[in-house]
């Protein structure tokens, strides 16, 4: 009996001990991130900027317009991949970190000694080497490469991406490197676009999309609130889109806006938070943005509503998909709130008066039970449930 008890105790201790050890082996530990360069970071581009067919997948760190700046690993981990290519990322090095993220350093001139020796270069190379954990461990702050201008790059800079190692979802590097990037300047909106839904809405008596300027504003301010004096009219279903840029104090560059929110009478109808973009959705930038407008004007109006079929997880809308129904003859107060990663903020208010228009028939969306019906009935209206 005693023997049996001791055996139980022993097994129990072993179980306890192994339970205690198990989590540290596989769990994703929080780790400390540091700057990839040894001077103040100034960005030439930020994460998620809309570009034709894709979102900018990382940050562009300025390198003083020269090659050869020392590039350091931003955290502990191991070198998991090295690529050499005339296109794309050019010379690139990947570091996998124990918190489940991988940092990718691109357009490099060359790699630091221990890595450069692993490559047998013959000239016009395309190399893609993968390494296991334990082969090439690095510490945060270790020199891993020199910056360059290789691959698809229009000038010397460091393009740095951070991905979820498992899913390869693209993260905003400022989530990790925010403290190293000075920014006390709020994003600014230039103008908005009103997009009446075809046959279902009018804006300022027009049935096609129209743009309206917010006027020239002070660019380099930390926060601002602008009220448009002009009054607009609308009836039926209207979507909105916004042309806006973010800025920082130390350069003329402009960036994408991290957070955008559209409120109607104080209630959110749309918001976007540009972090965590699955690679498989990157082409949806052409649907979120008004691609046709970009082709003609090279400015991106980003919609504050969701087109049918869009999966982009950075957009948040309710039941109405962000489209506003003006169906009461009263003032609607619309507010755009723009924020950057450092919480600099600008606010734009404008008023839209609901004015009945006989060209538009409004569906009583509130009578419908589910959004699939809503979508069907608004594209192919049955009108039995509509009033003039
Ligand atoms: Zn870039």
């Amino acid at each position: 009996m005693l023997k049996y008890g001791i055996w139980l105790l022993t097994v129990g201790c072993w179980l306890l001990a192994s339970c205690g050890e198990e989590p540290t082996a596989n769990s994703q530990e929080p780790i400390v991130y540091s700057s990839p360069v040894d001077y103040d970071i100034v960005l030439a581009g930020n994460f998620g900027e809309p570009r034709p067919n894709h979102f900018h997948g990382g940050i562009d760190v300025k390198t003083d317009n020269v090659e050869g700046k020392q590039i350091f690993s931003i955290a502990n981990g191991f070198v998991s991949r090295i690529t050499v290519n005339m296109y794309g990322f050019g010379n690139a090095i990947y570091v996998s970190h124990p918190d489940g993220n991988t940092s990718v350093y691109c357009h490099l001139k060359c790699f630091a000694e221990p890595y450069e020796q692993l490559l047998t270069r013959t000239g016009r190379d395309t190399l893609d080497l993968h390494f296991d954990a334990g082969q090439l461990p690095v510490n945060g702050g270790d020199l891993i490469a020199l910056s360059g201008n290789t691959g698809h790059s229009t000038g010397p800079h460091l393009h740095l991406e951070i991905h979820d190692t498992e899913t390869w979802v693209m993260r905003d590097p400022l989530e990790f490197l925010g403290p190293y990037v000075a920014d006390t300047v709020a994003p600014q909106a230039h103008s908005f676009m009103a997009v009446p839904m075809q046959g279902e809405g009018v804006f300022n008596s027009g049935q096609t999309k129209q743009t309206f300027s917010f006027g020239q504003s002070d660019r380099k301010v930390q926060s601002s609130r602008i009220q448009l004096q002009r009054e607009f009219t609308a009836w039926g279903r209207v979507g909105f889109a916004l042309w806006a840029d973010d800025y920082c104090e130390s350069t003329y560059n402009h960036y994408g806006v991290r957070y955008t929110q559209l409120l109607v009478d104080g209630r959110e109808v749309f918001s976007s938070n540009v972090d965590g973009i699955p690679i498989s959705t990157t082409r949806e930038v052409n649907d979120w943005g008004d691609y046709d407008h970009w082709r003609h004007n090279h400015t991106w109006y980003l919609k504050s509503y969701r087109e049918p079929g869009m999966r982009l997880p950075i957009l948040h809308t309710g039941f109405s998909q962000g489209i506003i129904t003006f169906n009461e003859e009263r003032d609607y107060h619309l507010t755009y709130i723009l924020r950057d990663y450092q919480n600099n903020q600008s606010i734009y208010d404008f008023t839209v008066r609901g004015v009945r228009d006989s060209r538009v028939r409004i569906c009583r969306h509130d009578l419908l039970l589910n959004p699939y019906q809503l979508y069907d009935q608004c594209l192919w209206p049955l009108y039995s449930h509509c009033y003039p």
Side-chain angles (χ1 to χ4, degrees), residues 195-202 206-208 235-237 357-363 378 381 383:
V195 188
M197 298 294 116
Q198 204 178 358
E200 294 183 273
V202 290
Q207 290 182 289
T208 53
W235 194 246
R237 298 177 76 225
D357 190 305
S358 60
R359 291 170 293 175
V360 173
R361 301 219 274 180
I362 295 172
C363 293
C378 287
Y383 288 128

Side-chain angles (χ1 to χ4, degrees), residues 51 56 58-60 107 157-160:
R51 310 225 167 136
H56 188 227
I59 53 173
D60 290 335
H107 310 310
H157 73 286
L158 169 70
H159 174 91
L160 170 64

Side-chain angles (χ1 to χ4, degrees), residues 305-349:
Y305 59 95
R306 190 188 288 273
E307 294 276 15
M310 281 182 75
R311 297 165 302 148
L312 257 187
I314 58 175
L315 311 184
H316 307 281
T317 58
F319 185 75
S320 64
Q321 307 300 314
I323 293 164
I324 300 165
T325 303
F326 297 92
N327 58 0
E328 292 171 43
E329 294 191 281
R330 64 171 175 90
D331 281 349
Y332 292 76
H333 300 282
L334 277 68
T335 305
Y336 267 111
I337 302 174
L338 312 185
R339 250 183 317 126
D340 59 23
Y341 178 77
Q342 312 287 5
N343 276 325
N344 306 305
Q345 176 175 285
S346 53
I347 301 177
Y348 299 84
D349 299 294

